[in-house]
């Protein structure tokens, strides 16, 4: 018998959920229901400084208000540090990680002198490689001086190793709608991210690492999420190959936007579900509105 499909909604508790989250959660729950699959909720709280317990409680409250139910216990990333450490150790053993002691200022200073330096899909300049080839002695010096290190992925080496592990080109399957309408079997191009940070200095972890580890541990079969994470999928496929993890299918959806056409954001104080509720809007109205006005 084929295993039951698994879907997940994975919010970060660093602000209040808004209509965009409601759409994503309902989209995922509907996909799970249509496939007679399981619907999981995961709290992505690796960033302790930005996590607030009241946001976690509000996520549960808002989703329950929308009429959703999910399996318990809910996986909270902050409770699973050893899983992420094990993944880092595996990448380290492959020789695809290196410590980077450079500060934001050091990196910005190098980029300032590089006109037309390429940017990653989020619009940040690609890492210019300044600590990629430090000698062991230089690394020791930084470490002895107490300089904290981030761990970066040596992208060129990682792509080479992944290629050696599987001669087939790196691809992913998009069952929804990627950026610019991309769908079907798509080439993964992780190199668009350059030497991305996989373990931040402050938390020894990163979104990209944790999400890939968790989707595998939770046996997620289809990753549903907004198109803002479409390009992240290119990198996630590379990490899955390096870590020997199963390949989920992907289903990205368009983003709910505000009147100015901008993506909704927690930090911009976009109308939260809680404030809609306080203003007398019902969950049914939210569901009907999103069903009638899909992005
Ligand atoms: N935690 C991420 C967010 O709230 C979503 C992660 C994902 O769906 O892959 O944007």
């Amino acid at each position: 018998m084929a295993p039951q499909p698994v879907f997940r909604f994975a919010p970060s508790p660093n602000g209040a959920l808004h209509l965009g989250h409601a759409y994503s959660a309902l989209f995922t729950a509907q996909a799970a229901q249509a496939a007679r699959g399981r619907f999981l909720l995961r709290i992505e709280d690796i960033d302790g400084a930005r996590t607030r317990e009241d946001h976690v409680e509000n996520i549960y409250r808002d989703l329950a208000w929308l009429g959703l139910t999910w399996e318990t216990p809910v996986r909270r990333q902050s409770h699973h540090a050893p899983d992420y450490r094990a993944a880092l150790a595996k990448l380290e053993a492959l020789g695809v990680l290196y410590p980077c002691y450079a500060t934001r200022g050091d990196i910005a200073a190098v980029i300032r002198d590089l006109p037309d330096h390429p940017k990653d899909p989020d619009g940040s300049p690609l890492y210019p490689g300044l600590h990629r080839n430090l000698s062991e002695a230089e690394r020791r010096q930084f470490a002895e001086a107490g300089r904290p290190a981030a761990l970066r992925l040596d992208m060129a080496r990682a792509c080479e190793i992944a290629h050696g592990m599987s001669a087939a080109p790196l691809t992913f399957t998009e069952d929804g709608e990627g950026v610019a309408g991309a769908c079907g079997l798509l080439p993964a191009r992780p190199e668009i991210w350059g030497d991305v940070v996989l373990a931040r200095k402050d938390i020894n972890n990163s979104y990209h690492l944790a999400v890939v580890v968790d989707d595998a541990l939770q046996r997620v079969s289809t990753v549903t999420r907004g198109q803002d994470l479409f390009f992240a999928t290119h990198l996630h496929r590379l990490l899955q190959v390096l870590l020997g993890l199963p390949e989920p299918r992907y289903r990205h959806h368009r983003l709910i936007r505000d009147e100015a056409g901008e993506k909704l954001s927690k930090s911009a104080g976009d109308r939260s579900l809680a404030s809609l509720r306080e203003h007398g809007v019902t969950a049914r109205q939210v569901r009907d509105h999103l069903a009638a006005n899909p992005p």
Side-chain angles (χ1 to χ4, degrees), residues 8-12 14 21 42 44 207 211 215 223-226 228-229 236 266:
R8 77 343 182 240
F9 175 59
S12 306
N14 50 20
H21 297 105
R42 180 166 78 228
E44 300 216 320
Y207 158 67
V211 82
D215 284 336
V223 171
T224 50
R225 59 187 175 197
D228 51 340
L229 291 167
H236 297 175
K266 291 172 184 158

